[in-house]
Amino acid sequence: MFTLRRYEPADREAVEHLHVHAIQQTGAYLGRGPWDDDVYAIEEVYLQNQGEFLIGECDGQFVAMGAFKRTSPERAEIKRMRVHPDHQGHGYGQLILTELEARAHALGYRTLHLDTSILQLPAQRLYEKNGFREVGRDNYQGLEVILYEKQIS
């Protein structure tokens, strides 16, 4: 059975592991650097700044996560959407994204935005299926990324 809950400090090591493991599987892992400092400061970046960080568990096992952080009074950025490779294809990413969108809306955000690498095809399909539209492209540390945006109110 899959359950969603809010991040707790005891989850830190599991979050760090899932973040690295899942992104390595896509070929988009850039190594540890300032681009992933938020993973090591979840309380400050997300929970204490009008954001959210969700943990997905299946039968008590940590299998998925996702978050959003405030980028302006009306905008929030979806971040750290990860599903363990052994648990992909079960709709866990969809459940997390749906809940994040509901919580962002409840907090008064009107626009969600995010980026994902061109290597992360399942992520692109998930976002596009949920009404995110491509608004540009960028290059980050040599990796091409797609910029997405969605109005939620």
Side-chain angles (χ1 to χ4, degrees), residues 17-18 21-23 25 58 61-64 82-92:
H17 176 76
L18 180 58
H21 183 69
I23 202 79
Q25 301 302 309
C58 187
Q61 183 182 0
F62 187 99
V63 299
R82 305 280 186 266
V83 177
H84 190 283
D86 294 344
H87 295 271
Q88 291 178 355
H90 299 286
Y92 301 152

Side-chain angles (χ1 to χ4, degrees):
M1 172 153 191
F2 184 78
T3 58
L4 274 178
R5 64 174 175 79
R6 191 172 220 210
Y7 170 89
E8 299 168 0
D11 298 322
R12 181 182 173 142
E13 189 174 309
V15 164
E16 293 170 7
H17 176 76
L18 180 58
H19 164 65
V20 172
H21 183 69
I23 202 79
Q24 281 176 332
Q25 301 302 309
T26 69
Y29 184 62
L30 300 172
R32 173 84 190 257
W35 45 84
D36 62 2
D37 282 349
D38 63 297
V39 174
Y40 305 95
I42 291 169
E43 292 92 342
E44 297 83 0
V45 173
Y46 297 98
L47 303 183
Q48 297 169 5
N49 191 29
Q50 297 176 324
E52 185 61 87
F53 202 106
L54 298 177
I55 302 299
E57 293 178 320
C58 187
D59 299 322
Q61 183 182 0
F62 187 99
V63 299
M65 65 186 195
F68 66 81
K69 67 179 185 176
R70 179 181 196 267
T71 55
S72 80
E74 295 186 350
R75 291 173 57 88
E77 182 179 15
I78 298 288
K79 297 287 287 179
R80 306 308 173 200
M81 290 287 296
R82 305 280 186 266
V83 177
H84 190 283
D86 294 344
H87 295 271
Q88 291 178 355
H90 299 286
Y92 301 152
Q94 179 65 61
L95 291 169
I96 289 174
L97 184 60
T98 299
E99 184 63 21
L100 289 172
E101 187 172 320
R103 291 184 187 205
H105 184 265
L107 287 171
Y109 295 112
R110 295 177 179 226
T111 304
L112 294 177
H113 62 101
L114 60 91
D115 64 72
T116 193
S117 80
I118 61 167
L119 302 174
Q120 294 170 273
L121 299 177
Q124 292 169 41
R125 286 192 295 271
L126 174 67
Y127 300 134
E128 291 168 5
K129 178 179 86 172
N130 282 276
F132 284 84
R133 61 183 176 79
E134 182 177 334
V135 295
R137 301 248 173 157
D138 202 355
N139 193 295
Y140 192 78
Q141 299 291 317
L143 192 63
E144 186 177 355
V145 295
I146 304 169
L147 309 175
Y148 286 102
E149 195 170 274
K150 177 182 181 177
Q151 304 302 313
I152 59 170
S153 59

